[in-house]
Amino acid sequence: MRTFFRNILIVLSYLTSIPFWTRLALKKPLVRVWCLHEVKDNQVWYFLEKLSWLKKNYNVLTPEQFKNRQFSTDRINVLLTFDDGYESWFRNVLSILNEENVKAVFFINNEFLSQSSKLTDAGHTLGGHSVSHERLTQLPADKLTAEVSQSVKSDFFAYPYGDKQSFNDAVIDEVKKAGYQYGFTILPGFNNLDTNPYLLHRDSLDPNVPNFIFKLWLKGNYDLWKKLF
Ligand SMILES: [Zn+2]
């Protein structure tokens, strides 16, 4: 039911994307980050369809371009990220990314480390996602340090769960101390050159979300509502 109302709100907000058009008119770079998890066998087609659409309509960034802030100002930029660690990535994701010539960031827990060379061999970037996917804000200081500092070494870190309760100043300090340059949440929104690099927005959308919702969401029509509720 919640999803139903959410979708209605997104559609209703379609005509109110003034901030989006203003930014694009002012040639300020806009970056969305798509957060995916598993791509199940019955979701492959949906994933391919959305990725092809993104490639036609958005500027799909490599992790390297994201890091170096090589953003387009004519089109919305998008970076693909995958969280946690799934066997289905090897069946359903890597071949499609390869075909579409897209490079992504894979935020993996340490449990998935033994498989990680298959991702890096394909040219993708690993990101830290803590050792054991605990809610970092609820850990004692020494445990927090261990969960972050012993995570995958990378420029990129994604807070486990990613919601507002998944990070605070202490967590962000640890992430900085461990050498990460970027911290990703799952709070939806545009990232731009002013966005705090440790509070980056991501859009957590399953591959099979309806296409019109996907397009409206990435265009920021849901961002306003997310702030209201
Ligand atoms: Zn996760």
Side-chain angles (χ1 to χ4, degrees):
M1 210 54 186
R2 264 189 77 161
T3 312
F4 175 75
F5 281 115
R6 187 196 71 191
N7 292 351
I8 295 282
L9 288 175
I10 293 172
V11 175
L12 288 177
S13 65
Y14 179 63
L15 294 173
T16 68
S17 26
I18 295 165
F20 161 74
W21 292 113
T22 316
R23 296 201 89 97
L24 219 55
L26 291 172
K27 299 265 174 204
K28 303 240 187 198
L30 293 169
V31 184
R32 299 299 293 202
V33 183
W34 185 11
C35 167
L36 290 126
H37 289 83
E38 190 169 15
V39 176
K40 295 181 182 143
D41 295 350
N42 61 1
Q43 296 175 329
V44 174
W45 164 248
Y46 298 103
F47 176 56
L48 180 57
E49 197 185 22
K50 287 186 173 64
L51 189 57
S52 310
W53 182 83
L54 282 176
K55 286 213 60 187
K56 278 195 207 89
N57 297 282
Y58 277 48
N59 179 43
V60 181
L61 297 168
T62 65
E64 204 58 25
Q65 286 171 327
F66 181 91
K67 214 165 70 179
N68 299 329
R69 299 176 162 219
Q70 292 168 313
F71 303 138
S72 166
T73 50
D74 300 319
R75 289 195 292 172
I76 303 177
N77 302 275
V78 65
L79 175 72
L80 265 70
T81 66
F82 294 82
D83 286 18
D84 300 336
Y86 296 94
E87 285 294 331
S88 62
W89 288 349
F90 304 118
R91 280 199 314 280
N92 301 334
V93 173
L94 290 191
S95 58
I96 291 179
L97 293 182
N98 188 41
E99 270 165 41
E100 295 289 325
N101 196 24
V102 168
K103 300 291 181 240
V105 181
F106 289 82
F107 291 106
I108 58 168
N109 308 308
N110 288 27
E111 286 160 27
F112 206 72
L113 259 181
S114 57
Q115 309 251 43
S116 64
S117 61
K118 292 187 216 164
L119 302 169
T120 49
D121 288 350
H124 301 292
T125 300
L126 299 183
H129 197 41
S130 82
V131 173
S132 52
H133 209 281
E134 302 227 26
R135 201 171 264 286
L136 299 177
T137 48
Q138 292 174 0
L139 299 178
D142 54 338
K143 185 91 200 303
L144 168 61
T145 305
E147 279 288 326
V148 176
S149 67
Q150 292 165 26
S151 184
V152 171
K153 294 277 167 283
S154 170
D155 291 317
F156 304 96
F157 187 89
Y159 307 107
Y161 304 101
D163 55 21
K164 277 183 195 153
Q165 285 78 43
S166 70
F167 56 85
N168 56 21
D169 289 346
V171 171
I172 293 171
D173 275 353
E174 286 298 335
V175 168
K176 283 183 190 169
K177 260 197 274 173
Y180 298 101
Q181 306 293 312
Y182 300 100
F184 292 81
T185 69
I186 58 152
L187 308 179
F190 284 109
N191 301 291
N192 54 57
L193 298 173
D194 311 323
T195 309
N196 181 337
Y198 292 95
L199 292 175
L200 292 166
H201 299 285
R202 286 196 298 167
D203 303 300
S204 185
L205 293 164
D206 287 338
N208 59 343
V209 68
N211 279 340
F212 75 102
I213 297 293
F214 180 77
K215 294 172 188 177
L216 292 176
W217 187 303
L218 289 192
K219 237 172 73 184
N221 289 285
Y222 179 53
D223 299 352
L224 295 172
W225 294 104
K226 191 76 189 171
K227 280 187 192 124
L228 293 176
F229 296 103

